[in-house]
């Protein structure tokens, strides 16, 4: 190995200490921000409002300088925190690659030496004497220790395996050493000016400070990010940057790079892990129900990101995160850029960035990914909270669940994300599936009506749907044979009355009471195949492919009221049939589905 770093040192490196240091810089940044806030809101206001004269003016000037210094400390601490968390994440990636190589060597009974070479035992059978071929040693990037094969000598079958392991060990160490060198250079450049005499030019915007410290241009970083470009153009833009430029963007703008459709998944994941820490630090210092709710969700996502996947579970990638609106989070289980099959699940009613989302909705995507990978290992599943899903009715504002506005806006954003998957997926013809649950199915339906449909999507799955905004499966743009519907018998959301029924029912209620309301409502939609957002997707008139699901718990039972039938479609324990069918579709094996009778 050319690096002074050894694989044993890489294996034993404690990334948690780097993250602990990052947390310390975050706490220091929060203290600096609190100091700046106190100077700006309390001391300056009090002094300016009560004191006059040269002494007061001089004091105001010094306080303003102090406020700028506090802000500079806050910015620098944020950059240090981002850099350290990125370093820990990238080192962990190489540690995982190294550990996988070491595990493979152990399984084959190979020996990995301190210098990275790999000794392999005798194996195979000589063509002349039939004796096992001798073992040897493979060196990463070098030539394995064996005689060149001739027409009478077959190579030891262990040679290629040992060489591959040796190469992987060396590659992990070399990459880790390069990462260490790159981030050390960044950290050395994050220096404050003596005495904290921050020049005014450093405060033109948030980027100017970072660029001044790094002795580079400032605002061009932010202005050059191609927000208005297509996902394919963004991918090309990122590919055309130098490594140093990428490091600058990741250190200064992890929030923007991490949420930019068209940027590779590994890059988005690295940026969003940094941004996640920044968001946690930001919300941790805020009061209010929204901050507390989102903070709980972010901390749970952070906790899961640090878990080692269990056998059979795919790795977790954070493809988007933010605190705007009800919160944003996009999480993939499995790499969506390398997987042939990628399913993206859009949640619906009552979904927001909170602990419930981080536990339940992430579990749905994880279960789908595990189920699909059992069918085709090259599969990934994503939960996409990239819009403000309607919340439970709370006065007139809660009636958004009954409208199309959020679905239309969310559908446009969903198309942008799916366009990004198409741009970054490395397979020639990947199989993409869009899954809409509850109001999320209405959002998926809206996405199909934007600009030529959902980019790259082959199949659409609708579960627990109150309607999708169109009356026929063929109107969703993928062909009716590629639209699949699951509707539990006891899921009340799949039986919402149509708008016509609802209006007529109100008239009947006013005119003659509950009995008249039911009768008039039924007559207003004879055949009962309409829901609130159009035809019932599970009906013959919609003409999708309905697949079997469990009936779910009854709405009314001895245990009381329950709407659990609406939430168990993805659960392999509570509804194994539905979960298995969703996994089949996600893995591109819909031909194996059994049909269910239409409503």
């Amino acid at each position: 190995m050319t690096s002074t770093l050894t694989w044993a040192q890489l294996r034993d490196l404690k990334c948690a200490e780097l993250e602990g240091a990052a947390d310390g810089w975050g706490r220091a940044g929060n203290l600096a921000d609190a100091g700046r806030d106190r100077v700006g809101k309390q001391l300056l206001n009090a002094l300016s409002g009560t004191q006059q004269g040269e002494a007061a003016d001089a004091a105001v000037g010094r306080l303003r300088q102090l406020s700028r210094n506090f802000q500079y400390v806050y910015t620098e601490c944020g950059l240090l925190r981002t850099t350290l968390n990125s370093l820990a994440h990238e080192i962990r990636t190489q540690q995982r690659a190294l550990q996988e190589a070491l595990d493979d060597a152990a399984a084959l009974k190979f020996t990995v030496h301190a210098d990275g070479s790999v000794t392999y035992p005798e194996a195979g059978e000589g063509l002349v004497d039939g004796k096992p071929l001798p073992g040897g040693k493979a060196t990463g990037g070098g030539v394995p220790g064996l005689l060149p094969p001739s027409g009478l000598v077959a190579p030891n079958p262990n040679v290629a395996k040992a060489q591959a392991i040796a190469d992987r060990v060396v590659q992990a160490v070399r990459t880790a050493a390069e990462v260490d060198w790159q981030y050390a250079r960044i950290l050395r450049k994050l220096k404050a000016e003596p005495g904290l005499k921050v020049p005014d030019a450093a405060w033109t915007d948030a980027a100017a400070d970072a660029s001044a410290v790094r002795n580079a241009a400032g605002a061009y970083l932010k202005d050059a990010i191609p927000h208005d470009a297509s996902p394919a153009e963004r991918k090309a833009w990122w590919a055309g940057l130098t490594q140093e430029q990428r490091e600058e963007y990741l250190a200064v703008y992890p929030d923007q790079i991490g949420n930019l459709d068209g940027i590779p998944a590994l890059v988005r994941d690295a940026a969003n892990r940094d941004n996640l820490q920044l968001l946690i630090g930001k919300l941790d210092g805020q009061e209010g129900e929204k901050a507390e709710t989102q903070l709980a969700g972010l901390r749970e996502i952070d906790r899961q990101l640090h878990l080692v996947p269990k056998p059979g579970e795919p790795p977790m990638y954070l493809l988007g995160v933010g605190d705007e609106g009800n919160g944003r989070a996009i999480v993939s289980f499995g790499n969506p850029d390398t997987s042939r099959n990628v399913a993206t699940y859009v949640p619906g009613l009552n979904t927001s960035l909170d602990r419930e989302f981080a536990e339940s909705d992430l579990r749905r995507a994880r279960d789908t990914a595990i189920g699909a990978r059992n069918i085709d290992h090259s599969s990934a599943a994503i939960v996409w909270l990239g819009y403000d899903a309607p919340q439970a009715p709370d006065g007139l504002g809660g009636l958004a669940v009954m409208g199309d506005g959020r679905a239309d806006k969310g559908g446009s954003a969903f198309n942008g994300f799916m366009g990004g998957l198409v741009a970054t997926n490395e397979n020639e013809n990947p199989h993409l599936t869009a899954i809409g649950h509850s109001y999320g199915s209405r959002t998926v339906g809206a996405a199909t009506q934007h600009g030529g449909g959902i980019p790259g999507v082959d199949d659409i799955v609708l579960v627990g749907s109150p309607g999708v905004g169109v009356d026929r499966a063929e109107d969703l743009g993928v062909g009716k044979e590629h639209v699949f519907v699951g509707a539990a018998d006891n899921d009340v959301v799949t039986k919402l009355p149509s708008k016509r029924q609802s209006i007529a029912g109100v008239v009947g209620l006013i005119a003659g009471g509950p009995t008249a309301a039911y009768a008039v409502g039924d007559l207003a939609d004879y055949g009962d195949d309409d829901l609130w957002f159009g035809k019932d997707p599970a009906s013959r008139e919609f003409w999708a492919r309905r697949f079997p699901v469990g009936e779910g718990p009854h709405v009314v039972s001895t245990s009381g009221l329950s709407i659990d039938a609406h939430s168990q479609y993805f659960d392999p324990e509570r509804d194994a049939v539905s979960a298995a069918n969703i996994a089949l579709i996600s893995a591109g094996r819909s031909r194996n589905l059994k049909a269910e009778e239409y409503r």
Side-chain angles (χ1 to χ4, degrees), residues 165-179:
I165 290 173
D167 288 342
R168 288 159 60 192
V169 170
V170 169
Q171 184 61 43
V173 173
R174 284 177 177 169
T175 302
E178 291 172 0
V179 166

Side-chain angles (χ1 to χ4, degrees), residues 209-427:
D209 176 64
S211 61
V213 174
R214 295 161 63 92
N215 195 27
Y220 89 94
L221 288 174
K222 182 178 180 181
D223 295 341
I225 297 176
H227 292 290
D228 297 328
S230 69
E233 290 169 336
R234 293 169 180 166
K235 179 186 176 184
W237 168 77
W238 182 260
L241 296 175
T242 66
Q243 182 61 31
E244 183 176 356
Q245 287 172 322
R246 293 176 186 174
E247 292 168 5
E248 291 183 43
Y249 279 111
L250 287 171
V252 182
Y253 298 112
D255 57 332
Q256 297 185 42
I257 299 301
N259 290 284
L260 198 62
D261 298 325
I263 301 298
L266 289 176
V267 177
R268 292 181 70 162
D269 178 58
N272 282 315
R273 287 175 186 252
D274 292 340
N275 189 34
L276 176 63
Q277 300 305 317
L278 295 174
L279 285 170
I280 289 175
K282 171 186 174 182
L283 295 176
D284 194 30
Q286 294 182 1
E287 296 181 355
E289 183 179 355
K290 177 183 175 182
E292 293 177 1
T293 298
Q294 294 188 352
L295 184 59
L298 292 173
R299 282 178 167 160
E300 174 59 21
I301 292 174
D302 183 53
R303 185 192 69 81
Q304 293 185 37
L305 283 169
H306 286 88
L307 295 177
V308 177
K310 298 178 182 178
E313 286 190 358
M316 184 174 169
Y317 299 86
L318 187 58
L319 303 182
V321 65
D323 62 345
E324 60 267 35
N326 292 331
R328 303 286 186 265
I330 306 170
V331 179
S332 180
F333 294 92
N335 189 332
D337 289 352
T338 59
S339 299
R340 286 188 300 270
N341 307 294
V342 183
T344 305
Y345 148 59
V346 182
L349 175 65
N350 264 355
T351 308
S352 62
L353 179 56
D354 55 14
R355 189 177 183 87
E356 173 68 18
F357 166 81
E359 293 177 342
S360 299
D361 289 277
L362 264 65
R363 185 185 304 119
R364 291 173 182 175
R366 182 187 287 110
D367 287 340
T368 299
I370 293 172
R373 286 163 70 93
N374 287 336
I375 301 167
D376 184 341
H377 184 72
S378 185
S379 298
I382 301 169
V383 53
W384 182 85
L385 182 60
Y387 79 120
D388 283 329
Q391 304 302 295
D394 182 15
L396 294 177
L399 294 179
V401 68
M402 309 303 285
D404 298 304
R406 297 195 181 192
D408 290 336
K409 188 174 181 180
S412 178
F414 183 64
N415 279 359
F417 176 75
M418 296 303 292
L421 291 186
V422 172
T424 58
N425 191 281
E426 299 170 6
N427 294 277

